[in-house]
Structure formats: C-alpha cells, structure tokens
Amino acid sequence: MNRDDRDDPFGDLFEEIERMMNQMAGADESSADGSGFRSETHVDTYIEDDVVRLVADLPGVSKENLSLQCDGETLTVSAASDRREYDERISLPVRVDERSASATFKNGVLEVVFDRADDSASIDLD
C-alpha cells in the first residue's frame, strides 16, 4: 500500500481547525460578502445624563464614503471600503433629538452624540 492510498488520519482534524479559524475570522457563511468581516458593525452605546453617545468601528472607511441618517429611534450608518460595504441600522436605547446630532470620524472610529429627547410633553389644562 502506498502512502497516497491511505486515509490521512489528521484530515478531519485539519478541516475542523480550518472551519473554526474561518468562523473566528468571520469568513464563514454568516459573512455577507465573503471578505472575512461579519455583517454586523461593532458599536458601543453609552447613555449619559442628557446625551446618548455611540462609538462604531469602521475599519478602512474614509470620511467621504460615510453617510449617517437618524429618525430619533434608529441610526443608519452607510459606508464603503475596499473590503466591504456597511449598511447598518442601529436601534437607539432611548429616543433622541436627531437634530442635535454631532459626529466625528477619526482613524476608522465614528462617534455620534445626540441629546436625549424629552420622554413626555406637558399638557396644559384649560
């Protein structure tokens, strides 16, 4: 029997290691575009006294290719890089005043700050 005729005793092990490495790198079937990135963008949300702060990692994106939209309840981040396209809808933890938004983008990190919207309105009695 030639060496080539035998089954590789480590074949399954190597296939499993490769599958796990691909899964950790995000290159499995859950990757939207096969680029190795997951479809979700990493976003941290901080609720402070009167503001809501979101910090998102957008590696490889330039400021010119970035677009933000907010309706007071959801922030939509659209961007493109050489490796992928981002189109993420991020549900905000509380209602915000979308007109108060300020944003900075530096070294692939997006930071957006909103004033919190009033939860209720006072009602005048006649």
Side-chain angles (χ1 to χ4, degrees):
M1 182 183 284
N2 290 336
R3 171 106 172 107
D4 295 332
D5 293 336
R6 293 183 287 176
D7 288 332
D8 183 1
F10 299 106
D12 291 338
L13 176 65
F14 289 131
E15 287 174 14
E16 181 64 14
I17 290 171
E18 184 174 354
R19 184 195 64 76
M20 289 188 314
M21 294 296 287
N22 286 337
Q23 186 178 13
M24 287 189 309
D28 61 350
E29 60 277 351
S30 68
S31 176
D33 59 4
S35 66
F37 289 99
R38 294 244 181 234
S39 62
E40 301 88 17
T41 303
H42 180 81
V43 179
D44 290 319
T45 306
Y46 305 95
I47 301 174
E48 299 169 359
D49 293 331
D50 294 330
V51 299
V52 175
R53 181 181 317 274
L54 284 91
V55 179
D57 295 330
L58 302 171
V61 172
S62 66
K63 185 177 181 178
E64 296 76 27
N65 296 331
L66 187 59
S67 171
L68 305 173
Q69 295 287 323
C70 184
D71 65 3
E73 297 177 355
T74 303
L75 174 66
T76 302
V77 179
S78 300
S81 73
D82 293 339
R83 299 194 70 181
R84 71 166 285 197
E85 289 186 15
Y86 299 87
D87 193 21
E88 302 293 330
R89 296 178 48 87
I90 303 160
S91 295
L92 301 171
V94 295
R95 187 147 179 74
V96 299
D97 178 4
E98 62 272 15
R99 295 184 191 345
S100 70
S102 64
T104 59
F105 187 68
K106 186 174 180 180
N107 296 328
V109 178
L110 171 67
E111 183 174 346
V112 185
V113 178
F114 297 98
D115 290 339
R116 290 178 69 163
D118 292 331
D119 289 334
S120 62
S122 61
I123 301 171
D124 293 330
L125 294 172
D126 291 327

